[in-house]
């Protein structure tokens, strides 16, 4: 095992998550030697800045992975599905941020604060990053699970427009501008819909509204986002029979997902004990003083790395259950940061003497 600094490739470096990734790589302790930036051929030749250096973007091709130790993929599912195995075949460990491999039994689904040990369990040479909604809660739930043993989760998510990509952000900003110009809107059914026009990636207006839908339709009326919360939580926590019920709602927030979680455990969980445990948990910040109006909100925590937790209450009807409100930036911990953290765990394999 050498102690050289490993080589990293960032695939999708010019996209929304890739842009955040370059900021994160610049801000975090440097564990990398060479960093290669890779994107589609139309972006090749662009110059991006990372760690204070200008780096020319290379076109995605098999040979860009030669000599690469870790390749991070911030690209759509179909691109990852094709190219992550190519990177692995060329000797790189692929850390994938898409949904392409999350439920593959031969690909670990990793949140370093919860199950970092699974990083080495990668028979395909690929490690998967969870969905941003799952990530916005699982660090806190994982900490509680280690102490009390989680048995059930009832989750309502309040998901930001950026979860639908740049189109989601642009649609919300455009709709807010149109709706804000008419102070009479919101009094009559359909008036907001008529005023905003284009719905973009959402099935109903997002301005002045909440939309009880995120993802695509699956069996039984469930959405793909709701099933991801269930299936990914089970895999990350190593609880294949965990009971999970999720309802995903899109809200007029640019970035940062929020969730209300009703979590049940194998033993009684006093609110003060949960507050103390979460206050010392890695990757979690507690902000919980409702008497003084203090609890996390997306507008106050966007751009930060932790999962923020407030409104911690023991259930009135079940002392083994807690109710929590959580916020997490869906472009940072929900995407780029967790991918970077996984890659750093892998980097340790190359740098450890």
């Amino acid at each position: 095992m050498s102690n050289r600094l490993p080589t990293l490739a960032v695939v999708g470096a010019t996209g929304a998550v890739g842009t955040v990734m370059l900021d994160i790589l610049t801000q975090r302790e440097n564990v990398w030697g060479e960093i290669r930036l890779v994107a589609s051929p139309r972006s090749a030749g662009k110059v991006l800045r990372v760690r204070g250096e200008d780096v020319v973007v290379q076109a995605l091709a098999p040979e860009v992975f030669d000599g690469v130790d870790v390749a991070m993929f911030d690209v759509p599912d179909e691109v990852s599905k094709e190219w992550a195995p190519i990177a692995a075949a060329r000797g790189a460990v692929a850390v994938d941020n898409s949904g392409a491999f999350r439920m593959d039994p031969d690909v670990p689904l990793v949140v370093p604060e919860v199950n970092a040990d699974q990083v080495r369990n990668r028979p395909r040479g690929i490690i998967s990053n969870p969905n941003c909604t799952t990530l916005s809660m699982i660090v806190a739930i994982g900490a509680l699970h280690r102490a009390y043993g989680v048995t059930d989760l009832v989750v309502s998510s309040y998901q930001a427009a950026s979860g639908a990509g740049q189109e989601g952000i642009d649609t919300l900003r455009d709709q807010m501008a149109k709706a804000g110009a008419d102070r009479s809107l919101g009094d009559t059914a359909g008036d907001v819909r008529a005023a905003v026009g284009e719905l973009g990636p959402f099935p109903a207006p997002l301005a002045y509204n909440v939309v009880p839908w995120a993802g695509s339709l699956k069996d039984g009326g469930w959405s793909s986002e709701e099933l991801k919360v269930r299936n990914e939580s089970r895999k990350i926590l190593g609880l294949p029979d965990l009971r999970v019920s999720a309802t995903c709602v899109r809200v007029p927030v640019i970035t940062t997902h929020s969730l209300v979680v009703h979590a049940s455990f194998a033993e009684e969980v006093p609110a003060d004990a949960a507050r103390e445990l979460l206050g010392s948990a890695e990757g979690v910040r507690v902000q919980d003083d409702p008497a003084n109006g203090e609890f996390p909100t997306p507008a106050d925590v966007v751009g930060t790395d932790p999962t923020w937790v407030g409104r911690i209450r023991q259930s009135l009807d079940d002392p083994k259950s807690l109710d929590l409100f959580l916020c997490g930036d869906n472009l940072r911990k929900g995407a780029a940061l967790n991918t970077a953290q996984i890659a750093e765990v892998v980097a340790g394999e190359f740098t450890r003497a």
Side-chain angles (χ1 to χ4, degrees):
M1 189 78 72
S2 73
N3 61 0
R4 68 178 177 84
L5 289 177
T7 296
L8 173 70
V10 179
V11 184
T14 57
V17 177
T19 302
V20 176
M21 178 65 76
L22 300 191
D23 289 340
I24 286 172
L25 289 171
T26 301
Q27 294 159 7
R28 290 178 70 80
E29 180 184 352
N30 184 36
V31 300
W32 304 107
E34 179 191 354
I35 294 182
R36 297 182 194 172
L37 304 183
V38 183
S40 63
R42 70 176 179 274
S43 296
K46 282 187 177 177
V47 178
L48 301 177
R49 200 156 180 81
V50 59
R51 298 186 304 177
E53 300 172 15
D54 289 333
V55 180
V56 178
V57 175
Q58 301 180 46
L60 181 56
E63 52 271 19
V64 301
F65 299 109
D66 291 343
V68 168
D69 299 300
V70 181
M72 296 194 298
F73 285 80
D74 295 309
V75 293
D77 291 16
E78 60 274 11
V79 180
S80 286
K81 197 169 286 187
E82 177 183 357
W83 286 93
I86 292 171
R90 296 260 171 164
V93 176
V95 182
D96 180 42
N97 190 28
S98 83
F101 302 101
R102 286 178 187 145
M103 301 315 298
D104 186 322
D106 291 326
V107 175
L109 186 65
V110 174
V111 181
E113 296 93 337
V114 181
N115 64 340
D117 58 304
Q118 288 299 307
V119 159
R120 289 180 174 273
N121 177 27
R122 49 173 197 263
R124 296 189 62 184
I126 300 169
I127 303 167
S128 199
N129 189 61
N131 176 263
C132 54
T133 315
T134 308
L135 267 168
S136 294
M137 71 167 189
I138 205 69
V139 177
I141 297 302
L144 290 165
H145 169 61
R146 284 192 294 274
Y148 299 104
V150 68
T151 60
D152 297 77
L153 296 172
V154 180
V155 180
S156 297
S157 72
Y158 304 90
Q159 296 181 215
S162 57
Q166 189 61 46
E167 184 189 4
I169 296 172
D170 292 343
T171 297
L172 177 57
R173 291 195 192 279
D174 290 344
Q175 290 185 359
M176 293 296 279
K178 291 176 182 174
D182 184 349
R183 296 176 67 89
S184 72
L185 289 180
D187 293 334
T188 306
D191 62 354
V192 173
R193 186 182 289 266
V196 300
E198 289 295 322
L199 297 179
F202 311 117
L206 196 55
Y208 291 2
N209 206 15
V210 297
V211 181
W213 191 258
S216 55
L217 180 62
K218 301 298 181 182
D219 289 347
W222 296 94
S223 80
S224 57
E225 286 282 310
E226 292 159 349
L227 297 181
K228 286 174 188 175
V229 172
R230 176 177 184 261
N231 297 335
E232 293 178 19
S233 296
R234 289 174 155 193
K235 186 172 180 178
I236 294 162
L237 296 172
L239 299 172
D241 298 320
L242 179 67
R243 291 185 290 264
V244 183
S245 182
T247 300
C248 292
V249 181
R250 195 74 72 178
V251 295
V253 168
I254 299 296
T255 297
T256 294
H257 291 346
S258 304
L259 303 98
V260 169
V261 179
H262 177 82
S264 300
F265 299 90
E267 54 189 271
E268 186 170 335
V269 191
D272 286 342
R275 209 171 278 115
E276 185 176 347
L277 183 154
L278 291 169
S280 61
E282 182 186 359
V284 178
R285 294 288 181 276
V286 173
Q287 185 180 16
D288 191 14
D289 184 5
N292 290 303
E294 293 186 8
F295 27 72
T297 74
D300 295 317
V301 309
V302 62
T304 66
D305 291 340
T307 294
W308 293 78
V309 187
R311 302 297 321 282
I312 301 167
R313 293 149 287 151
Q314 189 177 43
S315 172
L316 293 173
D317 300 313
D318 179 6
K320 293 182 179 179
S321 295
L322 284 177
D323 290 278
L324 320 162
F325 183 80
L326 306 99
C327 288
D329 186 315
N330 53 297
L331 298 183
R332 290 185 72 85
K333 181 60 178 174
L337 175 62
N338 198 72
T339 310
Q341 289 174 306
I342 296 170
E344 288 168 5
V345 175
V346 179
E349 299 175 18
F350 294 93
T351 57
R352 207 171 289 117

